[in-house]
């Protein structure tokens, strides 16, 4: 059971860490799909995670679950890998005199120094077990992220974690949207712009998940994305109702706001064409089948459009591997603004993995499964830990999934 203090668990043999990563062909053919859920605070992201986790258990296809939110106090699902088992969020805040957002970002940065250990665990569970042929390899990896979306999306650690996943598994972003809050054209457009920025920052296939369909039917949003005239009619109605401000009784509102939203809607037409859109209710489970159909489509898109570029960049990586590592290390340390000192052992511990084959979709009381620890060099200082982690992994995970040029080329 995860808590705000590091969990006590047993360690995995060091030999398991040295298991070589699968080849590109194996990764394409056998690796599970990683679904990374991101969304604004209050969008129902954690409830959505609980719903899809329970759905997969019902289908006898138990996923491997990762929790990357160090500040959450209660989780409605059991995580196999939980950041709270290795990073003590409250102690990080105390040690470095940080606020809540700074504490979350620093906790993610600390966790990212162990990314090679995380990937070794995932790759081991994704491969058949020769010692236990009846043990089914995982087919889905579910990743929950902090509610403070910008802390994950725009941080160096978020980039490292995502690119690590994408270097080994087909990875899909599920952007969770609070449908009732998108009723006006202005809030709808704000969400679309944020989704657009995330797509081009993460450079991974994306699904827009309009959540809370039980409270408001998301069909209006789908229509606005596919029918320009329908959006223009809604925009005109908002202007006439003074939705953007203006003199009472005169209508029209702010001409600047109306013109801005109109121009952005034109600009986003190409963006909409590359997205999958589904409406779901995390409360009642409606739309979940459609969501997983979209996940399958996006996984195929990843293999078709992203994997060849990934393989090409693997070959190029050897030429500038050391420089790339130095840049990422400098970026990490600047982001944390910590200097050379590392966290105390009370704030930072080993990665823990709960490898129970069938974890319950809802948390139980005090059940602890036998976990696998990961051996590591006990070197002092955060920078030394990070360098050791990066050197231990011959394939640089941060150089594998840089697709900016490729994505821009494909979308022209």
């Amino acid at each position: 059971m995860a808590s705000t203090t590091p969990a006590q668990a047993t360690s995995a043999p060091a030999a398991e860490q040295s298991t070589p990563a699968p080849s590109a062909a194996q990764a394409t053919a056998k690796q599970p799909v990683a679904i990374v859920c991101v969304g604004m605070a209050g969008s129902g992201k954690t409830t959505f995670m609980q719903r899809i986790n329970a759905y997969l258990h019902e289908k006898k296809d138990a996923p491997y679950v990762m929790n990357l939110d160090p500040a959450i106090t209660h989780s409605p699902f059991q995580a196999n890998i939980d950041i709270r088992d290795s990073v003590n969020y409250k102690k990080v805040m105390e040690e470095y005199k940080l606020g809540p957002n700074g504490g979350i970002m620093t906790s993610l940065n600390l966790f990212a120094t162990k990314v090679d250990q995380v990937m070794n665990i995932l790759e081991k569970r994704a491969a058949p077990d020769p010692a236990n042929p009846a043990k089914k390899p995982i087919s889905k990896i579910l990743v929950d992220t902090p509610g403070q979306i910008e802390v994950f999306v725009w941080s160096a650690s978020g980039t490292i974690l995502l690119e690590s996943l994408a270097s080994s598994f087909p990875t899909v972003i599920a952007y969770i949207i609070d449908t009732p809050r998108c009723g006006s054209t202005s809030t709808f457009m704000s969400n679309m712009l944020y989704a657009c920025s995330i797509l081009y920052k993460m450079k991974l296939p994306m699904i827009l998940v309009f959540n809370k369909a039980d409270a408001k039917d998301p069909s209006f949003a789908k229509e606005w994305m596919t029918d320009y005239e329908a959006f223009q009619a809604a925009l005109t109605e908002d202007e006439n109702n003074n939705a953007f401000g203006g003199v009472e009784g005169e209508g029209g509102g702010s001409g600047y706001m109306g013109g801005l939203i109109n121009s952005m809607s034109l600009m986003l037409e190409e963006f909409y064409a590359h997205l999958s859109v589904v409406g779901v209710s995390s409360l009642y489970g409606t739309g979940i089948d459609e969501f997983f159909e979209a996940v399958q489509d996006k996984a195929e898109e990843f293999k078709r459009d992203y994997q060849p570029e990934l393989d090409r960049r693997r070959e190029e990586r050897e030429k500038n591997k050391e420089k790339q590592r130095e840049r990422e290390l400098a970026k990490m340390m600047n982001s944390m603004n910590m200097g050379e000192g590392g966290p105390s052992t009370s704030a930072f511990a080993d990665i823990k993995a709960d490898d129970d084959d069938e974890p319950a979709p809802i948390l139980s009381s005090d059940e602890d499964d036998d976990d696998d620890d990961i051996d590591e060099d006990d070197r002092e200082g955060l920078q030394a830990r990070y360098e050791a982690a990066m050197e231990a992994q011959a394939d640089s995970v941060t150089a594998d999934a840089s697709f900016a040029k490729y994505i821009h080329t494909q979308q022209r």
Side-chain angles (χ1 to χ4, degrees):
M1 180 80 59
S3 62
T4 53
T5 58
Q8 301 298 319
T10 57
S11 286
E16 293 179 355
Q17 296 186 50
S18 60
T19 302
S23 66
Q26 291 174 324
T28 300
K30 299 181 180 180
Q31 294 307 295
V33 179
I35 304 171
V36 182
C37 296
V38 300
M40 300 286 190
S43 62
K45 178 171 53 62
T46 299
T47 308
F48 176 75
M49 276 282 299
Q50 177 192 10
R51 173 59 65 181
I52 61 176
N53 181 41
Y55 174 89
L56 289 171
H57 276 86
E58 290 174 3
K59 298 292 185 181
K60 307 300 182 183
D61 186 17
Y64 210 75
V65 182
M66 290 177 58
N67 172 46
L68 298 182
D69 189 348
I72 192 172
T73 57
H74 171 72
S75 176
F77 53 84
Q78 181 175 330
N80 301 96
I81 297 177
D82 199 320
I83 188 174
R84 296 174 296 168
D85 290 338
S86 56
V87 182
N88 190 313
Y89 166 68
K90 291 184 178 180
K91 288 187 178 295
V92 167
M93 289 177 62
E94 292 172 4
E95 240 179 88
Y96 301 109
K97 298 179 175 59
L98 300 170
N101 287 346
I104 293 173
M105 179 175 289
T106 301
S107 297
L108 281 168
N109 287 343
L110 294 172
F111 188 78
T113 67
K114 309 278 190 174
V115 68
D116 60 324
Q117 299 178 14
V118 174
M119 296 309 301
N120 284 339
I121 293 171
L122 294 177
E123 288 168 357
K124 175 186 172 183
R125 286 295 288 112
D129 186 356
N132 185 9
K135 188 176 184 180
K136 182 181 178 181
I138 57 174
S139 64
K140 300 287 190 305
I141 299 171
L142 306 182
V143 183
D144 194 17
T145 58
Q148 290 81 354
I149 185 172
E150 68 282 354
V151 172
F152 180 77
V153 172
W154 303 109
S155 66
S157 54
T159 300
I160 289 172
L161 290 165
L162 278 174
E163 292 183 349
S164 300
L165 280 173
S167 69
S168 295
F169 311 110
T171 304
V172 177
I173 304 298
Y175 180 55
I176 317 302
I177 300 172
D178 188 342
T179 307
R181 293 184 183 177
C182 290
S184 71
T185 53
S186 58
T187 54
F188 170 80
M189 188 54 61
S190 297
N191 264 286
M192 293 302 101
L193 286 173
Y194 209 100
C196 182
S197 67
I198 292 173
L199 176 67
Y200 287 101
K201 175 65 170 65
M202 295 181 171
K203 299 175 280 290
L204 292 169
M206 177 182 284
I207 302 171
L208 295 187
V209 181
F210 283 90
N211 196 16
K212 306 183 183 179
D214 53 292
K216 187 177 180 63
D217 189 344
S219 58
F220 75 93
K222 296 180 181 180
E223 183 181 21
W224 287 354
M225 295 177 68
T226 56
D227 188 341
Y228 177 76
E229 297 299 330
F231 182 79
Q232 288 302 304
L235 177 59
T236 301
E237 182 179 353
D238 281 350
E239 288 180 318
N240 292 335
N241 292 332
N242 293 318
F244 311 131
V247 180
E248 184 69 26
E250 292 186 4
S254 170
Y256 169 77
M257 278 298 296
L260 178 62
I261 294 174
N262 180 54
S263 62
M264 288 190 297
S265 67
L266 287 170
M267 179 269 293
L268 289 177
E269 277 191 306
E270 181 67 17
F271 165 68
Y272 296 151
H274 296 274
L275 294 177
S276 293
V277 182
V278 297
V280 305
S281 169
S282 297
L283 182 61
Y284 296 109
T286 56
I288 301 300
D289 286 321
E290 184 183 355
F291 169 74
F292 278 105
E293 289 174 5
V295 167
Q296 187 60 41
D297 290 342
K298 288 300 178 181
E300 293 301 322
E301 178 184 324
F302 180 95
K303 295 174 184 178
R304 181 182 66 249
D305 298 337
Y306 289 73
Q307 194 72 48
E309 178 68 5
L310 187 60
D311 295 340
R312 185 181 67 82
R313 289 194 174 274
R314 274 202 182 101
E315 296 175 0
E316 292 181 352
R317 183 193 59 227
E318 297 302 325
K319 301 176 182 178
N320 58 0
K321 180 169 57 178
E322 293 303 322
K323 291 182 180 180
Q324 178 70 16
R325 287 177 178 175
E326 291 172 4
R327 284 197 299 268
E328 292 297 336
L329 176 58
K331 187 176 180 181
M332 169 77 74
M333 301 310 297
N334 290 336
S335 174
M336 296 177 70
N337 195 24
M338 288 180 174
E340 297 294 329
S344 69
T345 55
S346 64
F348 190 36
D350 289 341
I351 300 295
K352 306 296 188 287
D354 181 353
D355 280 340
D356 183 15
D357 287 337
E358 295 290 338
I362 306 297
L363 282 176
S364 56
S365 54
D366 293 318
E367 297 177 356
D368 288 326
D369 296 309
D370 291 336
D371 296 341
D372 286 344
D373 274 30
I374 304 299
D375 293 337
E376 65 160 343
D377 295 331
D378 189 21
R379 301 166 68 177
E380 294 299 323
L382 176 61
Q383 185 163 352
R385 286 176 181 272
Y386 183 73
E387 290 172 341
M390 298 303 288
E391 290 171 3
Q393 183 168 317
D395 289 334
S396 173
V397 298
T398 59
D400 284 343
S402 180
F403 302 132
K405 292 182 181 178
Y406 180 75
I407 294 299
H408 285 294
T409 301
Q410 291 296 308
Q411 294 187 347
R412 284 176 183 170

